Structures are given as C-alpha cells and as structure tokens.
C-alpha cells in the first residue's frame, strides 16, 4: 500500500545502486562486530530507514537486507514488525515519540497527546500535510523524572509545556535545530 | 539513612546525587583515570587469576541490580572453567521498565564506570567479546558509551593484549529498537542474534548455552558499575555500605507525584519513607497531597501502600510485604489518582509489550486491558473485578518468561486494598475521580 503525501522540499532520492554497494563501508563496519551476518540486521534496518525520504523500510530494501544478512525477506519483515522503532509505512521528517506510560501520565501526558494532535491536525501514526511530522505513542522512555516528554527524532525534549511544544514545532518548521532544547 | 547509620555516605556511582538526569557532558577517560579509574583493571589483569576475581566478587556480594538481585559472583562462577570455544559477556542496558531510569546517568555521565566493570567481568569469565545492548531510544547513551569505547581502544585498554598482558577483548554496542521484552536476558540474546526478542526456555541456562550457543554472562549496567567500585576501592569498602545481605550503593529512581522526582543514590536499606519524604530525596508528595500507593521496583512488582512506608529498600525488605525491590523504580501515586486508571495505563504497556509467544500472557494481558477499559469508562459488569483476579492467577507462572506475571503487578495487591474503589466504577457507572492529573500546562 502506498500513501500519497505532498512533500515540500523533499530530500533527493538515494542512488538506485544496490544497498550493498552504496553502503559498503558502513555495512563492513557493522559486520565486523559479529561472528554471524544475521546479527547485523538491526543496524542495517536503521541505516536504510534513516536514508529513506519517507523514513521507512520498503519491500525492496527488506529483500536487499535479507540478501546481505543471509535471511529470507520474511525473516527480515518479522524484525520490522516486532520492533517498534522500524516503520513500513511513511512517517514525517520529524517523528515525535510521546511517552504515555504511568509516570508521564501522572504528569500530563494525556494532555500532551491532545495538544500535539490538535496543533498538528493529525492523529497518532499519521503524517501531517506538509510531510513534516508524525506523532507516535511510545512506552516508557526512561526519563520519568522529567515528564511529560517526547523523543523528537533523536533528541529528548523534556518537562514539556504548551509554550515549549510551540517553540519546538516552530523551530522544526523553520528548519532550525532543537539540539539546545532540553 | 537514619536506620542504617550510613550518615557519611558518599555517592560513588554517580559522583553526587544525580537529581536531574540531563548531563552537562560525560566523564572523559583522563578524568576517570585521575580518580583511580582503571586501577581495578590494571590490578586484576596483572595480579589476579580469573578464579580469584570471581571469589572477590562473591565475597563483595554484589547483588544483580537489574531486578533479580542474584549474586553476580555466583553467576560468573557458572561459566565453565575449561574453555572449548568463545565465551561472551552481554551488558543489559535495555532499561525499559516503567519508572526506571537509573542506568541512564551512569551511561551518559560515567560510561567508563560501566566499561571498567565489563572488562573485569570478561577477564573473569575468559570472554574475548562483550556486547552492550542499549535500548534504541537512548541515543545519548549509545553515543557516550561508543565514544568511551573509542577512547579505550586508543589508550590500549581494549583490543589485542590489553596493558601488555595476554588478555584481549573487544566491546561492541548493539542498539535495540524499541522492545521492552529485550530486557529479558534470553530475549536480549535472541535480539543480538538478529531475531525477534522471544525469551528462551531454560534450561539450558545462558551460562552454558547463551549467545551463539556459547557460555554467556549477562549483567545489568549498575551491577558492572559496582564491580568497578569493588576493584577500585576494595571489598571491605563496598560491604561497609548498605545492609549485610544487600551491600553497596543503589540508584533509586523516583517519579510520579513527588515534589522532586529524580535519580537518587543511597545505600541499600534506606527506608521507603526516607526516599519519598526526605528533602535530599523525593522531598514529599506534590501539591501537599496524601500518599496513596507506589511501585517499589518498577511497575512489574506489586505495589506498596500508606501503612507500609517503613519498608526497608534492600533485596529482603519488600519481600516481607509480598513484593520485590526489582529495578528500584519508584512511581508514586497520591490520593487524587484512581487506581483503576493507573492499572489500565500499565496494562496497556504489558499488552503492547508482550512478545506473543505464550498464550496466557498474550491473551491474558489483552483481556485484562479490555476489562480495565470497561471499568474505567463505567461500563463494567458485576463480577468483572473477580474475573480480573482470576486471570491474574492464571497468568502467573504459566509463561516462558516473567512478563505475564509482571502484568499482574499493578493488580494483585491493589485490588484487595482498593476493592471498594474498583467496585465504585461498576456501581456508579463512572470513574469516581476528578482527573486533575491529565492537565497539561
């Protein structure tokens, strides 16, 4: 199933050269860590997902990774569907992983979900019209003393308020860094 | 710390109370060495045979900090002495238990404290490869630990012939990808092998057939940090902290309805009351409310209530109340919190995180989630509370790993204690609580 999304300033598509050639150095580095090729599958899935313009792992990539790791495509697909951080469906450029587990829920996580949904005009797991954002629910993110919080891409932004959410989204829309936000 | 006389306790794991996890930066190799870091590794590699290292860890009685409290030295002793192929060390840094965030400051701020313990452990069990399995969401930890590993290779403290001895070791970081179950030690092994995190049936135990079917030791981050301390400061120093059966320091993670949520390092054996009310720890319940319940060791263990605040927080104390120290993740709920709502939130977690291998856990968590959803919406039928208790009884002990039983943690002691509150949802056909806690500023 393909979902049609309108994207502004979409990143250039990666070269069509097969994965094993395009990422030879990275793959070699990952393979060195393990005695068997299959152990590299999780790192490779991240590698592929991060370079894909829709932030997802396609059926073609699933097959390629299978070839590299000596797994069947079904075995690779099993990994994608088991582990929460891999996506088969498109996600926005910025994924907001919102923690909804008890310690966060005791500090306003439900309200945070509602505010994010209202502000971005999307439900959970959907992509905003401009292709920029997706909200996903995550279980405990291990920063319970700073609730409520989101993992915005790779950056944990904590002790959220409406004002802080507004700033984070404004910055990302303006293509500015959120690295200094805590 | 009134009860244990550890009035001169100096935090050692975190170098001072962590409080807020955010760190200004991580300790570099040179700074760590200036404080006596890697002296332990030097002494062990140059002076002690592996069997003697295991003896000292046994003597120090380092209890597994991940939750089970199993003595680390005994665990290491299970690895076959005769080596017929590779041995492995795996570090469990998949900290995913709700309300538990004590490994994070160690990895972010003091990664070398973890790595020194890992090297000592690998030497003791004659492993030449160690994997640190860090949960995928901990991007900062992965970066800091990897940077520290790179420093060690450059300094000749990792790789071939460490410190010019015959001992060689490689340490690699393996990133998880968002599965709570991978914190279960055999699921963690499956995950490193490139499979779904399905826990394995035991026996064989990992010490005999673990990673790649080879003898493997799996230890938690904080356990290995304690190993570093034992070899830097000595067995006697370690045993002078904490209680007789549970020696050493511990990072307690306190969250939820307290004034000062955070990670606090204290000697094992501090009381729950001190942790929640002392100004240097939790600082009391927020908004001047009354304490209602808390999880003593992550959300997977049965809860403790108001008349049980005297509970001594070592590995023995919570057992007296039918619960466990677990991961020392203390999630506090005050009088404004509905226990049905709290149980529903947690049941969603276990339902979502059940790996799906065993029917009692896979189906049972789903049934309980649906029942709790009905109760909380005021659509519960008479008899459903008893049905919940029945399902709890029929999950516990009937699955390969403990996740099924963990799912019942929020209910087994809570329902008998707050039966009327649960019942009020059915009788009144709505939740009797005003939900202030959902407000978002």
């Amino acid at each position: 199933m393909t979902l049609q999304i309108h994207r502004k300033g979409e990143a250039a598509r990666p070269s069509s050269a097969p994965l094993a050639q395009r990422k030879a150095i990275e793959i070699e580095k990952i393979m060195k860590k393990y005695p068997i090729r299959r152990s590299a599958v999780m790192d490779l899935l991240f590698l592929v997902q991060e370079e894909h313009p829709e932030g997802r792992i396609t059926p073609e990539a699933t097959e390629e990774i299978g070839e590299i790791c000596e797994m069947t495509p079904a075995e690779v697909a099993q990994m994608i569907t088991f582990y929460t951080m891999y996506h088969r469906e498109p996600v926005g450029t910025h994924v907001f992983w919102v923690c909804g587990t008890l310690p966060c829920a005791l500090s306003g996580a439900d309200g945070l979900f509602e505010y994010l949904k209202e502000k971005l005009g999307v439900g959970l797991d959907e992509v905003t019209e401009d292709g920029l954002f997706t909200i996903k629910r995550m279980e405990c993110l291990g920063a319970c003393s700073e609730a409520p919080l989101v993992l915005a891409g790779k950056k944990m932004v904590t002790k959220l308020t409406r004002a802080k959410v507004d700033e984070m989204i404004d910055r990302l829309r303006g293509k500015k860094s959120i690295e200094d936000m805590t | 710390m009134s009860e244990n006389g550890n009035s001169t306790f100096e935090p050692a794991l975190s170098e001072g109370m962590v409080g807020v996890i955010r760190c200004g930066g991580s300790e570099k190799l040179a700074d760590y060495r200036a404080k006596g870091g890697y002296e332990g590794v030097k002494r062990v590699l140059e002076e002690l045979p592996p069997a003697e290292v295991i003896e000292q860890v046994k003597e120090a009685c380092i209890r597994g900090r991940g939750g089970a409290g199993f003595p680390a030295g005994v665990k290491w002793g299970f690895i076959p002495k005769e080596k017929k192929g590779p041995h492995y060390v795996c570090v469990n840094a998949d900290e995913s238990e709700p309300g538990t965030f004590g490994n994070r400051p160690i990895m972010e701020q003091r990664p070398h404290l973890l790595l020194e313990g890992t090297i000592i452990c690998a030497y003791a069990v004659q492993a030449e490869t160690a994997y640190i399995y860090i949960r995928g969401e901990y991007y900062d930890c992965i970066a800091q630990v990897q940077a520290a590993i790179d420093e060690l290779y450059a300094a000749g403290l990792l790789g071939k012939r460490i410190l010019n001895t015959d001992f060689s070791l490689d340490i690699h970081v393996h990133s998880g990808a968002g599965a709570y179950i991978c914190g279960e030690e055999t699921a963690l092994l499956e995950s490193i092998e490139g499979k779904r995190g399905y826990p394995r049936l035991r026996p064989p135990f990992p010490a005999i057939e673990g990673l790649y079917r080879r003898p493997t030791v799996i230890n938690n981050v904080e356990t290995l940090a304690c190993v570093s301390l034992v070899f830097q400061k000595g067995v006697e120093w370690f045993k002078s902290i904490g209680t007789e059966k549970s020696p050493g320091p511990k990072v307690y993670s306190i969250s939820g309805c307290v004034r000062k949520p955070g990670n606090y390092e204290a000697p094992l054996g501090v009381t729950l009351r001190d942790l929640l009310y002392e100004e240097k720890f939790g600082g009391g319940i927020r908004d001047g409310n009354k304490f209602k319940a808390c999880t003593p060791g992550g959300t997977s263990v049965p809860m403790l209530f108001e008349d049980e605040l005297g509970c001594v927080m070592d590995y023995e104390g919570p057992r007296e109340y039918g619960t466990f120290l677990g991961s020392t993740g203390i999630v506090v709920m005050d009088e404004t919190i509905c226990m049905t709502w709290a149980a529903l939130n947690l049941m969603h977690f276990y339902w979502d995180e059940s790996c799906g291998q065993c029917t009692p856990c896979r189906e049972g968590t789903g049934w309980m989630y649906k029942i709790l959803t009905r109760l909380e919406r005021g659509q519960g039928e008479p008899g459903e509370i008893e049905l919940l208790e029945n399902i709890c009884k029929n999950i516990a002990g009937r699955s390969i790993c403990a996740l099924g039983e963990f799912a019942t943690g929020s209910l087994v002691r809570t329902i008998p204690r707050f039966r009327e509150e649960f019942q009020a949802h059915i009788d009144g056909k709505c939740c009797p609580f005003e939900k202030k806690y959902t407000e978002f500023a």
Side-chain angles (χ1 to χ4, degrees):
Chain A
M1 183 186 101
T2 47
L3 216 114
Q4 290 301 317
I5 317 167
H6 171 66
R7 281 168 182 280
K8 281 176 197 157
E10 183 175 303
R13 283 202 162 268
S15 138
S16 60
L19 180 63
Q21 286 171 25
R22 198 169 65 245
K23 294 278 173 190
I25 298 163
E26 287 96 328
I27 293 171
E28 178 66 21
K29 205 176 150 199
I30 295 166
M31 286 295 172
K32 267 195 189 155
K33 298 200 297 190
Y34 308 104
I36 62 167
R37 299 186 72 79
R38 183 170 180 150
S39 285
V41 66
M42 293 181 73
D43 279 0
L44 284 185
L45 286 169
F46 277 125
L47 194 70
V48 164
Q49 180 166 286
E50 274 174 25
E51 72 161 12
H52 192 274
E54 287 176 351
R56 70 191 177 104
I57 300 156
T58 61
E60 295 75 30
T62 306
E63 269 188 51
E64 277 190 285
I65 289 174
E67 260 172 53
I68 296 168
C69 296
E70 294 170 354
M71 297 165 78
T72 64
E75 286 170 329
V76 180
Q78 275 189 2
M79 299 294 285
I80 304 169
T81 51
F82 187 83
Y83 294 95
T84 316
M85 292 174 75
Y86 301 129
H87 317 299
R88 292 208 291 188
E89 304 299 331
V91 293
T93 312
H94 307 285
V95 178
F96 292 143
W97 296 99
V98 185
C99 176
T101 315
L102 188 60
C104 274
L106 289 169
S107 305
D110 291 354
L112 169 59
F113 270 112
E114 292 315 311
Y115 186 65
L116 270 174
K117 284 189 218 167
E118 181 196 307
K119 179 148 176 96
L120 296 174
V122 286
L124 286 188
D125 301 323
E126 294 172 0
V127 184
T128 51
E129 287 260 313
D130 56 9
L132 277 179
F133 302 104
T134 296
I135 310 167
K136 283 189 173 273
R137 184 190 160 114
M138 192 57 132
E139 296 297 350
C140 188
L141 282 165
C144 321
S145 59
E146 298 160 279
L149 55 104
V150 298
L151 182 62
K154 294 185 177 183
K155 177 72 190 165
M156 197 91 85
V157 187
T158 61
K159 292 185 178 167
L160 287 172
T161 56
R162 282 163 195 261
K164 211 163 166 184
V165 169
D166 291 348
E167 189 192 341
M168 180 174 72
I169 291 171
D170 284 347
R171 281 209 209 178
L172 291 172
R173 278 189 178 139
K175 296 190 176 170
K176 290 194 196 101
S177 168
I178 55 163
E179 271 308 304
D180 61 324
M181 291 186 82
T182 54
Chain B
M1 264 148 296
S2 46
E3 323 242 325
N4 287 286
N6 279 305
S7 51
T8 56
F9 177 74
E10 288 277 333
L13 288 163
S14 49
E15 280 204 306
M17 188 180 72
V18 181
V20 177
I21 302 174
R22 277 286 134 245
C23 59
S26 115
E27 189 179 34
K28 295 291 162 223
L29 177 59
D31 298 329
Y32 181 67
R33 284 186 107 163
K35 291 173 203 142
Y38 291 105
E39 285 303 313
V41 161
K42 193 169 176 328
R43 193 162 63 83
V44 163
L45 261 53
E46 288 173 357
E47 293 169 25
L48 300 177
E52 177 57 27
V53 177
I54 295 178
E55 256 341 285
Q56 291 202 13
V57 175
K58 276 185 193 166
E59 211 185 302
C61 191
I62 304 174
R63 311 276 300 262
R65 269 25 181 192
F70 193 79
V74 178
K75 199 183 223 181
W76 297 8
F78 291 150
I79 300 289
K81 302 286 170 290
E82 252 182 75
K83 212 177 158 195
K84 292 176 183 155
H87 291 179
Y88 292 101
V89 170
C90 292
V91 181
N92 189 342
D94 191 59
E95 182 169 69
S96 311
E97 176 71 21
T100 307
F101 43 100
N103 287 350
R104 245 183 93 197
I106 296 175
M107 288 189 280
E108 286 185 0
Q109 298 172 18
R110 307 205 68 198
H112 286 292
L113 198 63
L114 160 65
L115 293 172
E116 178 166 15
T118 309
I119 297 172
I120 293 169
C121 174
Y123 173 76
V125 302
Q126 301 178 65
E128 48 283 283
T129 314
Y131 293 101
I132 304 182
Y133 190 104
I134 306 178
R135 66 179 297 193
E137 300 91 334
Y138 277 11
Y139 288 103
D140 289 348
C141 293
I142 292 171
Q144 300 299 357
V145 171
Q146 187 58 55
I149 290 173
D150 294 344
E151 278 187 307
L152 287 183
Y153 275 106
L157 278 158
L158 273 183
K160 295 262 176 275
R161 298 182 53 83
I162 296 172
L163 297 171
N164 295 319
T165 63
D166 287 336
F167 179 63
S168 302
L169 175 69
D170 287 310
I171 301 183
H172 304 293
V173 172
H174 186 100
S175 164
Y180 168 70
I181 193 62
C182 290
E184 198 280 342
E185 59 177 18
T186 58
L188 183 149
L189 299 178
E190 290 282 303
S191 185
I192 297 179
E193 290 181 7
K195 298 177 206 156
R196 285 183 161 196
Y198 285 155
R200 297 176 184 171
L201 267 176
R202 278 145 284 195
F205 287 91
I208 309 301
E209 274 188 28
L211 186 62
Y212 307 119
R213 302 194 67 185
R214 300 297 314 162
T216 304
V217 162
I218 303 137
N219 276 140
N220 169 265
V221 170
E222 198 180 327
T223 311
L224 290 168
C226 286
V227 169
S228 302
L229 295 178
V230 164
F231 286 93
Q232 278 172 26
K233 297 169 183 255
V235 173
E236 287 315 310
W237 171 86
F238 191 79
K239 290 180 86 169
S240 72
I241 299 165
T243 59
E244 194 191 335
K245 286 182 178 165
S246 306
K250 184 82 192 69
V251 179
Y252 294 89
S253 309
I254 307 176
S255 63
C257 309
V258 284
R259 273 185 48 235
K260 293 164 55 196
N263 275 312
Y264 299 100
E265 191 181 343
L268 276 163
V270 58
T271 65
L272 183 58
R273 181 177 287 108
D274 283 355
L275 283 172
L276 297 189
Y277 288 95
E278 289 254 327
E279 200 48 41
K280 61 184 166 189
F281 300 130
I285 307 304
R286 72 181 178 199
D287 303 332
N289 286 340
K290 247 176 75 186
F291 172 82
K292 185 172 187 180
C294 79
T295 66
T299 58
S300 296
V301 300
M303 293 186 190
L304 287 173
F305 310 111
E306 204 189 347
D307 52 337
E308 297 164 342
L309 285 168
C311 178
V312 173
M313 294 292 279
D314 63 1
Y315 288 95
E316 286 70 35
R319 282 174 188 263
E320 288 175 27
Y321 302 90
T323 182
F324 302 94
L325 187 69
S327 62
T328 58
I330 303 170
V331 185
V332 181
M333 284 149 273
D334 68 21
E335 59 188 325
T336 66
I337 308 301
C338 166
M339 298 312 284
T340 310
W341 172 83
L344 169 63
N345 179 290
L346 290 175
M347 201 56 72
H348 181 279
F349 175 86
Y350 292 99
W351 176 50
D352 193 65
E353 297 294 347
S354 172
C355 81
Q357 260 194 123
C358 312
T359 310
C361 172
R362 182 189 63 238
E363 302 300 324
T365 49
W367 295 344
M368 291 198 289
Y369 176 66
K370 286 176 197 159
I371 296 169
L372 285 163
T373 304
R374 284 202 295 274
L375 287 177
E376 182 58 12
R377 285 183 186 160
Q379 298 160 348
E381 300 283 330
E384 291 205 307
I385 298 166
E386 292 70 27
L387 180 58
L388 272 178
E389 290 183 297
N390 184 301
I391 297 171
C392 284
K393 273 188 212 137
N394 283 295
I395 294 180
R398 287 182 168 83
S399 48
I400 292 173
C401 80
L403 192 143
E405 193 159 346
F406 288 173
T408 68
S410 58
L411 295 174
V412 284
R413 295 191 87 231
T414 316
I415 292 180
R417 175 65 68 123
F418 294 104
R419 193 175 295 276
E420 283 170 13
E421 194 184 302
F422 278 84
Q423 190 64 41
H425 287 75
I426 298 175
D427 299 343
K429 298 197 189 305
C430 70
C431 176
F433 283 82
E434 218 185 299
K435 291 203 187 52
K436 291 186 207 126
Y437 41 85
T438 55
E439 273 173 24
F440 175 63

